[in-house]
């Protein structure tokens, strides 16, 4: 009988101030995620709009491997990041997590792009004309995953308004590029708009994070891993085989080479710590 509901207005205000910008993050994030696939049929001539939308949507599905990886990582990483926030080596943990995430992301990027001769059969023959957007979309989604790692500081420090700012910047870039270039370049412009938005958000999150919550990321190793992937991708494109089977075997040997490179990289890192 003595129980009464009471509102702690000070706590309520803190909760609203923390959570409200995250609502904007979600809404603007949906623009970045889905706007390009919706707007194609409105910005292109009627005779090609539906076909272009279908091609882009089908090719987008191939890049879903990267999206699944990012979502799985987020579900595990977010509660973990909050858990270790007050530990003395928390920043070191964030740096290591980001480093390993990018290494796995590059591996998924490489295994998807170099196996497009096989993965293309998951979509119909009439949709394969748009396969050139797959590497762009994979890169965009990888940038989004890196952004998640680099921008987690605003949740940890309570500066969630910066999350809203960053996502709104991405949404504006998405809208501008789509409206300006889709009528001329069709779905290819949509793919580049997605990459431009996520890449910009990633860079801004890094520089703002270094100001408000500095983490010493292993930039040198991240860049070297990325450089190796770019070189392997170029090798795959400049070396030609008349046999598709030989091409697939060669590409997967390049992937194996990258795996061995990563094992060597991280084994050296572990040995140094020991």
């Amino acid at each position: 009988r003595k129980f009464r509901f009471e509102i702690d207005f000070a706590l309520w205000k803190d909760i609203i101030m923390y959570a409200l910008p995250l609502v904007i993050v979600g809404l603007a994030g949906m623009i970045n995620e889905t706007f390009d696939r919706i707007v194609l049929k409105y910005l292109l001539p009627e005779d090609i709009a539906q076909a272009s939308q279908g091609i882009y949507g089908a090719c987008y599905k191939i890049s879903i491997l990267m999206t699944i990886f990012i979502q799985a990582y987020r579900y595990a990483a977010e509660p973990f990041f909050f858990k270790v926030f007050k530990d003395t080596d928390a920043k070191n943990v964030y740096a290591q997590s980001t480093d390993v995430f990018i290494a796995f992301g590059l591996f998924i990027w490489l295994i998807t792009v170099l196996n497009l001769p096989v993965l293309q059969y998951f979509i119909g023959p009439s949709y394969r004309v748009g396969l050139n957007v797959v590497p762009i979309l994979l890169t965009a989604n990888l940038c989004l995953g890196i952004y998640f790692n680099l921008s987690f500081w605003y949740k940890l420090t309570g500066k969630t308004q910066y999350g809203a700012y960053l996502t709104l910047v991405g949404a504006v870039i998405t809208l501008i590029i789509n409206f300006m270039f889709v009528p001329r370049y069709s779905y290819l412009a949509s793919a580049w708009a997605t990459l431009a938005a996520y890449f910009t958000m990633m860079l801004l999150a890094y520089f703002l994070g270094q100001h408000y919550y500095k983490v010493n990321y292993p930039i040198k190793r991240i860049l070297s891993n990325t450089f190796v992937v770019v070189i392997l991708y170029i090798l795959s494109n400049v070396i030609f085989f008349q046999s598709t089977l030989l091409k697939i075997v060669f590409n997967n040997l390049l992937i194996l080479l990258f795996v061995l490179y990563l094992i060597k990289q991280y084994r050296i890192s572990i040995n140094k710590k020991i």
Side-chain angles (χ1 to χ4, degrees):
R1 289 195 300 270
K2 294 180 180 179
F3 176 80
R4 296 288 186 275
F5 283 103
E6 293 182 3
I7 297 177
D8 186 337
F9 285 100
L11 177 60
W12 179 84
K13 181 181 178 182
D14 288 341
I15 292 173
I16 292 299
M17 293 299 292
Y18 184 91
L20 191 59
L22 297 179
V23 177
I24 299 173
V25 169
L27 292 173
M30 291 306 297
I31 293 176
N32 294 330
E33 180 67 25
T34 63
F35 181 79
D36 52 354
R37 280 164 284 174
I38 296 172
V39 78
L40 280 173
K41 65 179 179 181
Y42 299 106
L43 296 179
L44 293 173
E46 290 185 8
D47 56 332
I48 63 170
Q50 193 169 1
S52 298
Q53 189 180 35
I55 292 168
Y56 186 62
C59 293
Y60 207 104
K61 291 177 182 177
I62 296 179
S63 66
I64 202 71
L65 293 172
M66 185 70 75
T67 305
I68 291 172
F69 166 64
I70 293 169
Q71 289 300 325
Y73 175 82
R74 288 185 65 175
Y75 285 133
E78 190 155 330
F80 174 71
F81 285 171
F82 276 113
K83 180 181 178 182
V84 303
F85 175 50
K86 294 183 179 180
D87 292 353
T88 55
D89 65 337
K91 291 185 177 182
N92 186 45
V93 171
Y94 300 146
Q96 291 177 354
S97 298
T98 302
D99 179 26
V100 174
F101 170 85
I102 294 174
F104 272 97
L106 290 170
F107 169 71
I108 292 173
W109 188 95
L110 196 64
I111 201 171
T112 304
V113 170
L114 296 193
N115 280 288
L116 275 180
V118 176
L119 295 175
Q120 66 176 337
Y121 292 106
F122 285 92
I123 60 177
S126 58
Y127 298 107
R128 295 171 195 165
V129 66
L131 286 173
N132 58 328
V133 303
V134 174
I136 302 171
L137 293 172
L138 283 167
T139 307
N141 284 319
L142 179 57
C143 288
L144 176 62
I146 298 171
Y147 164 77
F148 167 75
N149 281 274
L150 299 180
S151 65
F152 207 80
W153 58 267
Y154 70 72
K155 292 184 179 180
L156 297 171
T157 59
K159 299 180 183 297
T160 52
Q161 68 272 20
Y162 286 98
Y165 301 152
L166 291 169
T167 316
L168 285 171
V169 168
V172 169
I173 292 171
T174 298
L175 293 171
I176 290 174
I177 295 179
N178 273 282
F179 279 114
M180 286 185 64
F181 297 106
V182 163
R184 182 173 182 180
Y185 297 104
S186 188
Y187 53 82
L188 186 62
S190 294
W192 281 109
T194 304
L195 176 56
Y198 289 152
F199 183 76
T200 303
M201 289 166 59
M202 177 186 72
L203 288 182
L204 290 175
Y206 172 76
F207 289 113
L208 284 172
Q210 293 303 95
H211 179 71
Y212 288 105
Y213 190 76
K214 185 175 177 60
V215 176
N216 294 318
Y217 297 103
I219 299 297
K220 184 177 179 181
R221 182 159 63 190
I222 290 170
L223 291 177
S224 66
N225 290 347
T226 305
F227 177 76
V228 170
V229 166
V230 171
I231 293 299
L232 293 176
Y233 177 66
I234 292 172
L235 283 175
S236 174
N237 282 275
V238 299
I239 299 177
F240 296 97
F241 294 90
Q242 291 187 349
S243 169
T244 303
L245 179 60
L246 286 176
K247 181 66 173 178
I248 294 170
V249 171
F250 175 73
N251 283 352
N252 281 278
L253 286 175
L254 293 178
I255 295 168
L256 179 60
L257 185 64
F258 181 63
V259 171
L260 294 174
Y261 165 80
L262 288 180
I263 291 172
K264 182 179 179 181
Q265 276 272 72
Y266 289 94
R267 182 179 292 169
I268 291 171
S269 177
I270 291 169
N271 290 334
K272 283 182 179 179
K273 290 178 182 178
I274 294 172

